């Protein structure tokens, strides 16, 4: 009987994929959820029976779904985050969970830098004004000699630091477990969180949330430099959106750019409609290079587990 693999990431269900085709050549049957959409719990419940492996995206995975996946041996995330997977329940069900670390770092880092420069130069604001027939100009800032705060200095944060320094910026970085040996060439310094908030012209987030508590709340915003920009390509839960909206309305926050949302697609809230907000459709890792790289690693991670399981069964 042909073993089945479930594929749910939107980037992989939207169009044919060379890396996935290799799985079919190896004899696996691929089961895909609705093309280009985040699958609902009901769709997952209908899809998981009989699958031995699952290449998973950012869709929430419930205990109920795992209980319905009686043959499942491995969930391989095509990304680094695992907050959508009930890890304790997976462990009880003896389902191994793997993730990809750093495979999309360049893509996300380039988007973060793009959003920083867009916000500093008011590109989106000017674009929208022109389309309305207005000749609206806001004085911008160049990134050279500015201070960029990087909160979370794993693979993505390190890549952001290198690019920012290459563009002539200074980088101040905070990480709860800093790699003290890390020192990108140029103006890079480790600082505590309050110092990063106070010194930065733009702050970019590259860390997971802790206990669903907002890292950037009214307290943190009050400690930021007047007119600073805030960039979030990590997790929506890192930011208190009401506090950000208040800071934008008061003019203390110069701009907010986000690629992540609680719900996708999001509702058009007052925050997202704000003229100083830039919003992108979770495109950080949605590049040809990142999709291919992460998919290859996710497939290799999954196949490693399936081969181990097969060997233990036959031995």
């Amino acid at each position: 009987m042909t073993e089945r693999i479930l594929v749910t990431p939107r980037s992989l269900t939207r169009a044919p994929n060379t890396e996935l085709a290799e799985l079919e050549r190896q004899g696996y049957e691929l089961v895909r959820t609705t093309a280009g959409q985040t699958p609902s719990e009901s769709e997952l419940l209908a899809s998981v029976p009989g699958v031995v492996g699952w290449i998973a995206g950012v869709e929430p995975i419930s205990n109920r779904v795992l209980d319905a996946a009686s043959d499942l041996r491995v969930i391989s995330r095509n990304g680094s985050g695992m907050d959508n997977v009930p890890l304790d329940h997976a462990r009880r069900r003896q389902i191994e969970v793997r993730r990809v670390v750093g495979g999309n770092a360049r893509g996300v880092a380039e988007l973060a830098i793009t959003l920083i420069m867009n916000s500093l130069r008011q590109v989106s604001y000017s674009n929208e004004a022109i389309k309305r027939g207005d000749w609206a100009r806001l004085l911008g800032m160049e990134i050279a000699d500015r201070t960029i705060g990087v909160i979370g200095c794993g693979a993505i944060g390190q890549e952001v630091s290198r690019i920012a320094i290459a563009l002539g910026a200074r980088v101040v970085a905070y990480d709860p477990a800093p790699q003290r040996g890390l020192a990108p060439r140029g103006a890079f310094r480790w600082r505590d969180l309050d110092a990063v908030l106070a010194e930065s012209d733009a702050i970019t987030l590259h860390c997971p949330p802790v206990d669903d508590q907002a890292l950037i709340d009214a307290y943190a915003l009050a400690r930021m430099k007047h007119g600073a920009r805030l960039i979030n390509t990590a997790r929506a839960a890192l930011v208190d959106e009401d506090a950000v909206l208040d800071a934008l309305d008061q003019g203390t926050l110069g701009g907010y750019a986000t690629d992540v949302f609680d719900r996708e697609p999001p509702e058009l809230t007052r925050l997202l409609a704000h003229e100083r907000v830039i919003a992108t459709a979770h495109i950080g890792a949605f590049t040809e290079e990142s999709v291919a790289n992460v998919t290859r690693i996710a497939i290799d991670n999954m196949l490693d587990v399936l081969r181990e399981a097969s060997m233990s069964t036959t031995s």
Side-chain angles (χ1 to χ4, degrees), residues 227-251:
R229 273 59 168 179
L230 176 64
I231 313 299
N232 186 9
T233 59
R235 292 289 187 275
L238 287 167
V239 172
D240 181 334
E241 294 190 350
D242 290 336
V244 167
L245 180 59
D246 287 343
L248 289 168
D249 286 342
Q250 294 166 15

Side-chain angles (χ1 to χ4, degrees), residues 35 45 70 77 101 106 116 162 165 213 216 227 239 252 269 272 282 284 286 295 302 306:
L45 286 170
S70 56
R77 276 280 291 113
V101 179
R106 181 71 189 194
I116 290 170
R162 283 189 284 268
I165 290 168
Q213 295 295 309
I216 305 299
V239 172
T252 55
T269 61
L272 293 184
H282 205 154
F286 195 46
T295 302
M302 182 186 64
L306 292 178

Side-chain angles (χ1 to χ4, degrees), residues 119 224 227-231 244 248 253-257 276-278:
S119 189
M224 289 171 60
R229 273 59 168 179
L230 176 64
I231 313 299
V244 167
L248 289 168
L253 185 65
Y256 176 55
R276 296 294 185 90
V277 170
I278 304 163

Side-chain angles (χ1 to χ4, degrees), residues 151 193-205 215-231 244 247 252-256:
I151 298 180
L193 181 58
D194 280 348
V196 170
L197 294 172
E199 297 173 13
S200 302
D201 296 292
I203 293 172
T204 178
L205 307 177
L215 177 68
I216 305 299
D217 55 11
Y219 177 91
L221 289 161
R223 277 149 184 76
M224 289 171 60
K225 183 184 290 189
H226 187 90
R229 273 59 168 179
L230 176 64
I231 313 299
V244 167
T252 55
L253 185 65
Y256 176 55

Side-chain angles (χ1 to χ4, degrees), residues 136-281:
R137 304 171 74 205
L138 291 175
L139 188 65
M141 295 187 290
E142 297 175 10
I143 194 171
D145 295 323
R146 297 289 173 178
T147 299
I148 306 302
V150 177
I151 298 180
C153 218
I156 297 171
Q158 292 173 35
E159 192 68 20
V160 169
S161 299
R162 283 189 284 268
I163 298 172
I165 290 168
L167 291 169
R170 297 179 294 272
V171 171
V172 290
Y174 167 76
D175 195 290
Q179 300 178 42
R180 294 298 178 183
L182 169 67
R185 292 182 180 180
F188 178 94
R189 290 177 297 153
W190 290 109
R191 303 285 277 161
D192 62 32
L193 181 58
D194 280 348
V196 170
L197 294 172
E199 297 173 13
S200 302
D201 296 292
I203 293 172
T204 178
L205 307 177
H206 302 288
C207 57
V210 178
D211 298 327
D212 291 326
Q213 295 295 309
L215 177 68
I216 305 299
D217 55 11
Y219 177 91
L221 289 161
R223 277 149 184 76
M224 289 171 60
K225 183 184 290 189
H226 187 90
R229 273 59 168 179
L230 176 64
I231 313 299
N232 186 9
T233 59
R235 292 289 187 275
L238 287 167
V239 172
D240 181 334
E241 294 190 350
D242 290 336
V244 167
L245 180 59
D246 287 343
L248 289 168
D249 286 342
Q250 294 166 15
T252 55
L253 185 65
Y256 176 55
T258 184
D259 187 47
V260 288
F261 310 92
D262 287 327
R263 289 178 50 194
E264 297 183 355
E267 296 179 2
L268 184 59
T269 61
R270 279 190 60 222
L271 177 63
L272 293 184
H274 199 286
E275 64 182 9
R276 296 294 185 90
V277 170
I278 304 163
T280 52

